[in-house]
Amino acid sequence: MGRGQLVNRLTAQVGDRGLAIELLKKREHLKADGRTLTEEGKRRNAMTASERAKDRASKRTGLPASEFVYDRRTNVARKK
């Protein structure tokens, strides 16, 4: 799944749309109504799965996202 698939991708990962929506609300990517993306949610939704994984790894390590490669099988970015 590519850009604009934040809810659908998370739904596929957790297996339940309601749970996916609750997780996105908890992360403040969705507003309380469960339908409207927040500014952060819009930013994340504009990213591909690869970009989100690299962004997570970058935040976790403090290294730039360009230092990581994406593994589609695990949805995880690893250092080059």
Side-chain angles (χ1 to χ4, degrees):
M1 290 180 210
R3 299 177 199 282
Q5 299 294 317
L6 187 64
V7 177
N8 292 338
R9 176 141 177 106
L10 187 56
T11 298
Q13 289 172 342
V14 300
D16 180 73
R17 187 171 181 84
L19 177 58
I21 288 172
E22 287 305 313
L23 287 169
L24 291 169
K25 287 193 307 189
K26 183 178 178 182
R27 294 176 187 166
E28 298 183 355
H29 294 164
L30 278 178
K31 293 183 180 178
D33 66 11
R35 293 180 303 217
T36 309
L37 291 168
T38 63
E39 288 305 313
E40 176 66 10
K42 289 176 186 176
R43 187 180 76 78
R44 301 291 290 178
N45 196 45
M47 295 177 168
T48 63
S50 172
E51 291 166 334
R52 285 192 300 273
K54 290 176 184 179
D55 187 58
R56 287 191 303 270
S58 176
K59 286 179 181 176
R60 187 177 63 250
T61 64
L63 296 171
S66 61
E67 291 294 314
F68 297 91
V69 292
Y70 177 64
D71 182 341
R72 292 183 82 149
R73 290 183 308 108
T74 61
N75 191 36
V76 173
R78 302 189 192 288
K79 195 164 185 304
K80 288 183 180 178

